[in-house]
């Protein structure tokens, strides 16, 4: 069921996920036209949708602010623009990790850390700085395509390195969440991004997309105008049921990014090796973390994360096809 | 030869050479052809798309080297076109190169390979073609496409000026059958040639072609009433086959013991992605059906090239594709589903969005008609022979769609 609407307020609005946003075009129409923003807000109001507004680093002007404030929403803003948007989710780029002075005074923040492959070795240090200020941190790898064994190993090293810090903070009354380490512990089933199912995106051109990444990849590949009924061709391919690899997987924290799927395997329902391997590094780190939690005497009530012999569920899916009877139960 | 010992019922086709354990690599040596068959899915024939030896050499080098990804113990090198024998000298060089490299590398394929051809047969008696055949005869399969009677063949298999090609092919059949007595032919049925099915299969059997692989096209070409006409043709063929005891020596893929039951397993029908096609640019495709000239609506779908190798990510959908993920609900509950084929390339071409996960069911009514006639055939034959033939071990899978 549709629950959210993402609205990209400008072409150069911050990315919050596995894609690069666009730059500003000289003299071009970079901001979403006001009438389109109004249509998006109305659509949200009529369909009980909570809106996530993606902001650029600059001010938009009073007419925009007024429309934004007319609907339940969350703001996602670049870290540098935080002062104008109290309570917003702050996007931190791994190439610009804020210094201690920038973080002073922040508490209980929601961060998105967009991590570049080249900055992987800095991950633990960056998290160490952000975690004490955070209510939640979502780490997203910005450039997944082309990751190989070296990256998987480094990712694993970094997650293991930050583990003691997360464990230490777990003793706090309000321990911070770190998506790639703590989410899997709390989940009993898939908790994916669900682009196209749980949320849709209004691009800065005012048209609808599965998610912002699809807009930036090809603005022509739109779901159409904002209107009453939204038709998504082959919508079932977004569902877990029709994803032969993911439906047998228990890396529940994985975003199962349908944009990356499409970009790397050409199919919305088929993940790349990179996505699966990275998610399984996280799953394994989460398993390790659960063990430590239990050793430290907490973690009661949390379900086991079984040890598995594969690093990519593709290997399992290719070996054995799900039976028709099991499929029908899904 | 029947694969069930001492069984006088030949009617089902045998599986091709090591079909399930071989890597099937198709070289599209030319996109040109002397004919313009009306049903041909290669809609963009041209003279420019000719394979260069160097590209083929690189592809062979890659495939012989990628032992971690290409693990099959044997290989079938398929040469197709357009019309492959237009390029027989190039093919000869390619085959020689493979043999030498496989020997030098001590590759298991050196002992286990085959060269396979699907040809329109027009050049079969050409001296260069015959030289090639003599040189490679122990590792060769050649399938000449004859579509049935002159009338049926000439309805579809025509020269650019519209003239039929039957006589030019038929004159080469005797020599072909002499050289490859176990050969089969492939027949494709579209709406217009339904009335000629029975006479065509009988005609081909009469020419001495013992195995007829015959399929209806996957495109949505069917008109109201086609299923009934199709069923009537198959029943008439069944009667003739039984009354003249042709089932003892001949086979036709329309009749199969294994079709017409509900699904029990969830396998994909076609081998796209496990096989590989190589075009003149050196691009790899999951099957020839994914090349640009085979597609009407969608862009070509590559899975790598001979320089960078196979793209493992793009292979993942093909290797995990199953029946349930692409089929509509009615197929999962269908009482006669087995044997109801699809072509992944056609699915990709006709799908609502760019995906291989949407099964085209354009042949639904035709399959159901085939099942009814097939039941009729086995029940009638069973009564004649006093045996429950469908309860007996099966002779083969029944030919796949391609
Ligand atoms: S599909 Fe979801 S996870 Fe992927 S880029 Fe879009 S919003 Fe992010
Ligand atoms: S790890 Fe791979 S299989 Fe599992 S949910 Fe993520 S993308 Fe799907
Ligand atoms: S296409 Fe028709 S005949 Fe074939 S499986 Fe589906 S419902 Fe059955
Ligand atoms: S069924 Fe179609 S896609 Fe599959 S192998 Fe045959 S021609 Fe290729």
């Amino acid at each position: 069921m549709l629950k959210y609407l993402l609205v990209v307020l400008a072409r150069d609005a911050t990315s919050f996920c596995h894609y690069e946003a666009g730059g500003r075009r000289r003299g071009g129409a970079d901001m979403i036209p006001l009438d389109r923003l109004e249509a998006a807000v109305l659509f949200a109001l009529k369909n009980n949708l909570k809106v996530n507004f993606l902001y650029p680093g600059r001010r938009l002007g009073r007419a925009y602010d007024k429309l934004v404030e007319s609907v339940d929403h969350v703001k996602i803003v670049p870290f540098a623009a935080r002062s104008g948007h109290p309570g917003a989710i702050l996007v931190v780029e791994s190439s610009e990790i804020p210094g201690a002075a920038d973080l002073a005074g922040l508490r209980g923040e929601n961060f998105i850390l967009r991590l570049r492959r080249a900055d992987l070795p800095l991950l633990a240090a960056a998290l160490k700085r952000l975690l004490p200020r955070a209510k939640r941190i979502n780490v997203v790898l910005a450039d997944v395509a082309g990751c190989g064994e070296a990256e998987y190993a480094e990712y694993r090293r970094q997650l293991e390195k930050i583990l003691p810090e997360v464990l230490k903070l777990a003793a706090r009354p309000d321990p911070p969440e770190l998506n790639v380490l703590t989410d899997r512990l709390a989940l009993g089933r898939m908790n994916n991004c669900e682009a196209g199912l749980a949320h849709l995106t209004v691009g800065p051109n005012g048209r609808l997309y599965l998610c912002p990444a699809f807009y930036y990849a090809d603005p022509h590949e739109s779901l159409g105008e904002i209107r009453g009924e939204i038709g998504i061709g082959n919508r079932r391919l977004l569902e877990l049921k029709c994803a032969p690899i993911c439906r047998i997987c228990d890396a529940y924290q994985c975003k199962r990014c349908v944009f990356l799927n499409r970009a790397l395997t050409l199919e919305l329902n088929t993940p790349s090796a990179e996505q699966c391997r990275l998610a399984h590094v996280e799953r394994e780190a989460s398993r390790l973390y659960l063990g430590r939690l239990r050793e430290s005497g907490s973690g009661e009530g949390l379900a086991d994360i079984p040890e598995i012999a594969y690093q990519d569920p593709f290997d399992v899916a290719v070996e054995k096809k799900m039976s028709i009877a099991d499929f029908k139960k899904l | 030869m029947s694969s069930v010992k001492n069984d006088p019922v030949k009617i089902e086709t045998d599986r091709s050479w090591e079909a399930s354990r071989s890597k099937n690599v198709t070289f599209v040596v030319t996109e040109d052809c002397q004919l313009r068959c009306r049903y041909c899915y290669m809609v963009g024939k041209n003279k420019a798309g000719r394979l260069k030896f160097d590209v083929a050499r690189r592809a062979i080098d890659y495939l012989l080297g990628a032992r971690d990804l290409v693990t099959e113990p044997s290989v079938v090198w398929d040469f197709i076109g357009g019309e492959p024998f237009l390029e027989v000298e190039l093919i000869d060089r390619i085959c020689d190169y493979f043999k030498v490299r496989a020997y030098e590398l001590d590759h298991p394929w050196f002992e286990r390979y085959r060269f396979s051809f699907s040809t329109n047969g027009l050049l079969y008696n050409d001296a260069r073609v015959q030289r090639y055949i003599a040189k490679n005869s122990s590792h060769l399969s050649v399938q000449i496409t004859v579509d049935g009677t002159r009338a049926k063949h000439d309805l579809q298999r025509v020269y650019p000026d519209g003239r039929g090609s039957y006589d030019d092919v038929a004159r080469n059949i005797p020599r072909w059958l002499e050289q490859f007595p176990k050969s089969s032919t492939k027949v494709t049925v579209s709406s217009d040639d339904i009335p000629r099915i029975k006479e065509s299969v009988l005609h081909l059997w009469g020419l001495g072609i013992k195995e007829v692989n015959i399929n209806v096209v996957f495109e949505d070409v069917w008109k109201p009433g086609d299923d009934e006409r199709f069923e009537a043709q198959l029943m008439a063929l069944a009667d003739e086959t039984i009354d003249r005891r042709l089932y003892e020596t001949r086979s036709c893929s329309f009749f199969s013991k294994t079709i017409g039951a509900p699904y029990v397993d969830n396998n994909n029908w076609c081998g796209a992605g496990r096989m590989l096609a190589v075009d003149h640019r050196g691009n790899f495709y999951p099957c020839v059906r994914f090349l640009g000239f085979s597609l009407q609506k969608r862009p070509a779908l590559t899975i790598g090239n001979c320089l960078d190798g196979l793209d493992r990510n793009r292979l993942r959908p093909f290797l995990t594709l199953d029946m349930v993920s692409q089929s509509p609900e009615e197929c999962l509950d269908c009482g006669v589903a087995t044997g109801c084929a699809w072509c992944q390339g056609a699915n990709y071409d006709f799908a609502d969005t760019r995906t291989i996960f949407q099964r085209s069911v354009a042949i639904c009514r035709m399959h159901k008609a085939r099942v009814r006639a097939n039941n009729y055939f086995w029940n009638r034959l069973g009564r004649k022979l006093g045996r429950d033939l469908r309860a007996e071990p099966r002779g083969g899978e029944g030919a796949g769609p391609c």
Side-chain angles (χ1 to χ4, degrees):
Chain A
M1 202 181 85
L2 219 50
K3 290 184 232 156
Y4 304 96
L5 189 66
L6 269 75
V7 179
V8 186
L9 289 169
R11 241 179 77 81
D12 56 330
T14 180
S15 166
F16 73 110
C17 212
H18 302 292
Y19 67 92
E20 295 306 318
R24 286 192 74 177
R25 281 184 295 218
R26 247 205 284 165
D30 285 337
M31 306 234 297
I32 185 169
L34 271 173
D35 64 328
R36 299 287 82 208
L37 178 59
E38 189 174 0
V41 166
L42 275 176
F43 182 77
L45 289 170
K46 286 192 276 190
N47 292 283
N48 301 324
L49 306 179
K50 189 161 185 163
V51 186
N52 289 359
F53 288 108
L54 290 169
Y55 273 77
R58 60 203 154 101
R59 294 205 168 274
L60 296 180
R62 201 162 320 151
Y64 281 88
D65 295 341
K66 203 170 148 206
L67 274 173
V68 165
E69 293 310 329
S70 66
V71 63
D72 279 356
H73 70 275
V74 168
K75 298 184 176 85
I76 302 178
V77 307
F79 183 80
R82 66 195 174 283
S83 60
H85 304 288
I89 297 175
L90 305 177
V91 179
V92 174
E93 298 286 337
S94 63
S95 50
E96 299 161 15
I97 303 294
D102 296 324
L103 291 167
L106 295 182
R107 193 150 200 94
E109 300 294 333
N110 278 302
F111 291 111
I112 291 171
L113 173 57
R114 285 191 77 241
L115 177 66
R116 258 156 232 290
R117 230 153 66 201
D119 298 328
L120 259 169
L122 309 175
L123 175 61
L127 287 173
K128 195 164 180 192
R129 194 174 295 170
L130 295 175
L131 271 166
R133 312 278 167 188
K135 182 167 158 224
R136 178 173 173 88
I137 303 178
N138 275 357
V139 176
V140 256
L141 207 64
D143 42 2
V144 167
C147 277
E149 295 303 331
E151 284 81 9
Y152 306 140
E154 184 59 39
Y155 192 34
R156 187 187 169 127
R157 253 195 309 278
Q158 293 295 320
L159 291 183
E160 284 179 17
K161 204 162 153 190
I162 197 63
L163 210 143
E165 185 68 17
V166 180
L167 198 62
K168 198 171 84 193
L169 293 169
R172 264 183 12 189
D174 56 344
E177 296 168 359
L178 174 60
N179 66 335
V180 294
L181 213 53
T182 63
D183 279 9
R184 177 60 184 77
L185 274 58
L187 292 168
R189 62 192 175 92
M190 278 293 172
N191 182 44
N192 311 132
C193 155
E194 304 219 27
L197 299 174
H199 56 89
L200 290 173
T201 288
V202 180
N205 57 0
R207 292 171 71 80
L208 282 167
Y209 295 87
L210 285 178
C211 93
F214 286 89
Y215 161 76
Y216 289 107
D218 180 5
H220 300 294
E221 210 191 318
S222 153
L223 303 173
E225 300 296 330
I226 303 167
R227 56 181 184 269
E229 281 288 307
I230 315 287
I232 300 180
N234 272 320
R235 182 180 181 277
R236 65 187 178 86
L237 295 179
L238 299 169
E239 293 169 9
L240 184 62
K241 186 175 172 168
C242 278
I245 308 179
C246 299
R247 69 180 175 223
I248 58 158
C249 174
D250 74 347
Y252 300 140
Q253 86 295 344
C254 176
K255 276 183 181 278
R256 205 164 82 75
C257 170
V258 294
F259 170 71
L260 281 179
N261 288 359
R262 239 281 307 278
L264 297 181
T265 72
L266 304 183
E267 292 288 347
L268 286 170
N269 67 347
T270 309
S272 59
E274 288 93 322
Q275 187 167 183
C276 291
R277 289 292 303 275
L278 291 164
H280 278 76
V281 170
E282 294 161 6
R283 184 193 180 282
E284 183 55 18
S286 306
R287 204 177 69 79
L288 227 85
Y289 176 57
L290 178 62
R292 300 274 175 84
L293 260 184
R294 285 181 175 161
E295 279 165 24
S296 73
S298 52
E300 63 280 359
L302 294 173
D304 278 341
I305 302 175
E307 195 167 0
I308 49 178
Y310 57 87
Q311 296 174 312
D312 182 345
F314 167 78
D315 298 333
V316 182
V318 91
E319 273 305 306
K320 194 171 179 302
K321 301 265 186 285
M322 174 177 266
S323 75
I324 299 173
D326 286 344
F327 177 79
K328 283 188 167 174
K329 280 185 225 145
L330 292 176
Chain B
M1 185 191 75
S2 167
S3 42
V4 180
K5 265 201 177 142
N6 304 322
D7 188 343
V9 182
K10 151 76 184 153
I11 197 74
E12 285 185 284
T13 48
D14 295 332
R15 301 202 66 161
S16 60
W17 184 77
E18 296 205 327
S20 53
R21 296 192 298 128
S22 289
K23 185 78 187 173
N24 197 296
V25 184
T26 304
F27 279 116
V28 184
V29 289
T30 173
E31 294 179 6
D32 195 13
C33 181
Q34 309 98 313
L35 300 181
R36 294 292 180 273
C37 302
R38 298 204 161 102
Y39 51 59
C40 183
Y41 58 77
M42 292 183 182
V43 283
K45 291 205 189 67
N46 65 85
K47 290 197 188 300
R50 180 184 178 269
L51 184 71
K52 296 217 172 36
F53 173 72
D54 206 43
V55 170
R57 183 181 58 75
R58 282 172 198 268
I60 290 171
D61 285 345
Y62 171 74
L63 291 166
L64 291 178
R67 300 280 282 272
D68 60 327
L69 264 179
V70 184
T71 54
E72 291 84 348
S74 55
V75 64
V76 177
W77 301 101
D78 250 318
F79 295 96
I80 66 157
E83 168 49 38
F85 281 140
L86 287 172
E87 296 292 344
V88 68
E89 281 154 339
L90 167 73
I91 290 170
D92 189 29
R93 257 184 101 189
I94 294 173
C95 294
D96 283 352
Y97 181 75
F98 159 68
K99 287 181 265 185
V100 170
R101 279 309 285 155
Y103 177 76
E104 286 170 354
L105 293 168
D106 197 17
H107 194 287
W109 286 357
F110 178 68
E111 302 283 343
R112 308 179 73 77
Y113 69 92
R114 258 183 122 66
F115 302 130
S116 162
F117 289 78
S118 273
T119 167
N120 59 29
L122 296 174
L123 284 173
Y124 193 78
N125 269 330
D126 182 280
R128 290 164 307 170
V129 172
Q130 281 300 318
R131 255 198 315 277
Y132 173 85
I133 289 174
K135 179 171 163 186
N136 293 287
S137 62
S138 58
H139 289 273
L140 207 56
S141 336
V142 178
Q143 188 181 66
I144 294 184
T145 304
V146 201
D147 233 7
T149 57
R150 174 184 285 106
K152 176 172 179 328
H153 186 97
D154 285 349
L155 194 67
Q156 302 285 356
R157 301 186 66 82
V158 293
Y159 289 99
D161 63 6
R163 244 179 336 118
S165 61
Y166 178 84
D167 289 334
D168 297 334
V169 183
R171 84 169 60 94
N172 292 335
I173 300 285
R175 189 168 191 185
W176 169 52
L177 288 177
E178 197 182 298
Q179 291 173 328
F180 299 97
K182 288 184 188 163
S183 288
S184 61
T185 194
K186 200 165 82 182
V187 182
T188 311
V189 174
S190 193
S191 179
D192 289 346
D193 31 41
I194 290 175
R196 298 187 171 86
I197 292 174
K198 181 190 106 176
E199 63 185 38
S200 291
V201 174
L202 292 173
H203 177 78
L204 293 169
W205 285 346
L207 286 177
I209 303 168
K210 294 187 176 142
E211 191 172 311
V212 177
N213 289 320
I214 183 162
N215 294 293
V216 295
V217 298
F218 294 103
E219 285 79 357
D220 192 4
V221 295
W222 307 110
K223 302 188 191 101
D226 274 354
D227 49 340
E228 282 143 35
R229 283 186 281 275
F230 180 53
E231 184 179 331
Q233 278 290 313
L234 294 192
M235 285 179 63
L237 178 62
D239 286 339
E240 196 96 3
T241 306
I242 293 169
D243 295 343
R244 291 170 50 196
R245 297 172 53 142
L246 295 168
Y247 54 83
E248 291 181 357
T249 53
R250 300 289 191 259
S251 80
C252 167
S253 59
F254 270 146
F255 300 125
S256 163
K257 286 179 194 168
T258 58
I259 70 159
Y263 284 128
V264 282
D265 62 30
N266 176 21
N267 289 324
N268 193 26
W269 174 272
C270 101
R274 293 177 201 276
M275 48 172 73
L276 187 78
V278 186
D279 76 351
H280 65 277
R281 296 173 193 89
N283 284 331
F284 294 161
Y285 302 84
C287 155
V288 66
R289 200 64 176 74
F290 288 86
L291 267 78
F293 69 73
S294 304
L295 296 161
Q296 294 175 29
K297 271 174 39 190
R298 300 251 176 258
L301 193 162
T302 62
I303 49 167
N305 61 64
C306 62
L307 292 178
D308 306 323
L310 283 162
D311 181 330
R312 291 171 198 244
N313 275 335
R314 288 194 180 185
L315 275 175
R316 285 163 75 100
F318 287 95
L319 300 182
T320 52
L321 182 66
D322 54 9
M323 191 268 298
V324 294
S325 308
Q326 62 182 312
S327 299
E329 201 100 343
E330 58 174 315
C331 295
L332 307 191
D333 295 326
C334 173
V336 296
T338 54
C340 183
W342 60 82
C343 166
Q344 225 61 58
N347 285 358
Y348 168 70
D349 206 6
F350 308 143
D352 299 333
T353 61
R354 193 181 157 167
T355 181
I356 59 169
F357 283 81
Q358 184 189 339
R359 171 172 166 187
S360 159
V361 290
I363 66 159
C364 183
R365 283 182 302 121
M366 302 302 284
H367 175 72
K368 286 173 177 161
R370 177 190 169 200
V371 167
R372 290 190 293 270
N374 186 59
N375 289 340
Y376 169 81
F377 173 83
W378 289 104
N379 287 324
R380 243 209 88 189
L381 182 59
R383 287 188 70 77
K384 174 175 174 174
L385 299 177
R387 288 156 47 191
D388 182 359
L389 293 166
R390 297 185 88 174
E392 293 177 2
R394 55 194 183 171
E397 281 293 308
C402 52

